Structures are given as C-alpha cells and as structure tokens.
Amino acid sequence: MAQKSVLFLCIGNGDRSPVMAAVFGMFARKAGLDVNCESAGIEASATKGTAAKFGIVAAKRIGLDISDHMRRHISAVNLKNYDLIVCASDEIAGTAIAAGADMKKVYNVQITNPWPVQFQEDFDNCCMPAILVAMYKVVRLYAEHLS
C-alpha cells in the first residue's frame, strides 16, 4: 500500500496543528500505519516563524520533538495531495474546503484555540489532553477505513 498523507490545519500553524501532526504520527506508527504527517495554518501568521514554545514543551513531555517545525500557510500546499485533512475547528474546515479540499476528506476535531496563552499550563490543560484524545480516535478511525 502506498504511503498516505495527512494534513493538519489550525490558524497560525504554531502549536495545535504541528502538535496534532506529531501525536497522530506517533499513534499511527504504533498502529503500524505508514503515514506522512504535515501541517499548515490558514492565517497570515502561518507564513513565518517556528513552532510556539508551549507546543514544543508539551510535545517534548510525551517524547515528541517539534522544535524544528517551520510554519507554513495553507496556500503553500496542494490540498488535493492529502488523503485526510484534520482541522482544529469548523472555521478552519470551511477555509480548507473553500480553498479546494475535498469535503469528504476534511475532518474537524474541534480543538479550542489556546490563544492568548499566558502560561505553559494553559496549553497543557486546554489543548494537549484534547489533542491526545482526538488524535487517538482519528488514527483508529483512519486505520479502520484503510483496512
């Protein structure tokens, strides 16, 4: 079976989508899936910079390193190249579909935007548990779909 590609979208591609991609990849490997995980953002802030500090720290706590992540905008990817597009909200899913994503391949996990994050514990308590649960569920559904 050819390698599948999954895109993860959030607003600025600084913390939610890179962490979702890393967590999904971890769970996918444990499930024996060969999946390329990428991420992007829908707003102008997704055009430059690295992963946000809070996402880097939260990912590191579970053994994942996203410190080399570079933000990129949705316009820098070809949405038709992905087998699945996982979005952090309805707004982001709508933007992906309006930009040309196949509606049947778009999945919304409804992970609340943590900004303005004041402290590491804001991201840890707000986003990270939701990301872990959502990515576990999406990997299971995706594995079932592929079998």
Side-chain angles (χ1 to χ4, degrees):
M1 178 186 317
Q3 184 181 45
K4 301 292 183 179
S5 290
V6 180
L7 179 66
F8 298 84
L9 294 174
C10 70
I11 291 175
N13 192 222
D15 48 31
R16 286 182 296 170
S17 56
V19 173
M20 289 189 315
V23 170
F24 183 96
M26 175 184 71
F27 288 148
R29 285 186 298 280
K30 290 182 180 189
L33 299 176
D34 184 19
V35 181
N36 176 46
C37 299
E38 299 178 23
S39 66
I42 64 166
E43 288 192 351
S45 61
T47 59
K48 59 185 170 196
T50 60
K53 163 182 90 163
F54 300 117
I56 292 170
V57 170
K60 191 173 202 168
R61 287 189 180 136
I62 60 168
L64 300 172
D65 183 5
I66 64 166
S67 62
D68 63 348
H69 171 75
M70 295 303 295
R71 296 180 192 217
R72 69 180 172 165
H73 190 262
I74 190 173
S75 63
V77 300
N78 182 346
L79 297 172
K80 296 186 184 329
N81 290 343
Y82 298 94
D83 302 291
L84 178 66
I85 299 172
V86 179
C87 301
S89 73
D90 289 336
E91 171 196 5
I92 295 162
T95 300
I97 293 165
D102 181 346
M103 183 184 278
K104 293 179 244 164
K105 295 180 179 182
V106 174
Y107 189 77
N108 177 11
V109 291
Q110 205 60 41
I111 308 269
T112 305
N113 188 356
W115 293 102
V117 173
Q118 302 282 330
F119 305 101
Q120 182 67 48
E121 70 182 276
D122 292 341
F123 189 87
D124 294 346
N125 295 332
C126 169
C127 285
M128 201 58 183
I131 289 171
L132 288 165
V133 169
M135 294 307 100
Y136 174 76
K137 288 179 180 178
V138 174
V139 166
R140 288 194 59 198
L141 290 170
Y142 195 58
E144 288 174 17
H145 172 74
L146 293 176
S147 59

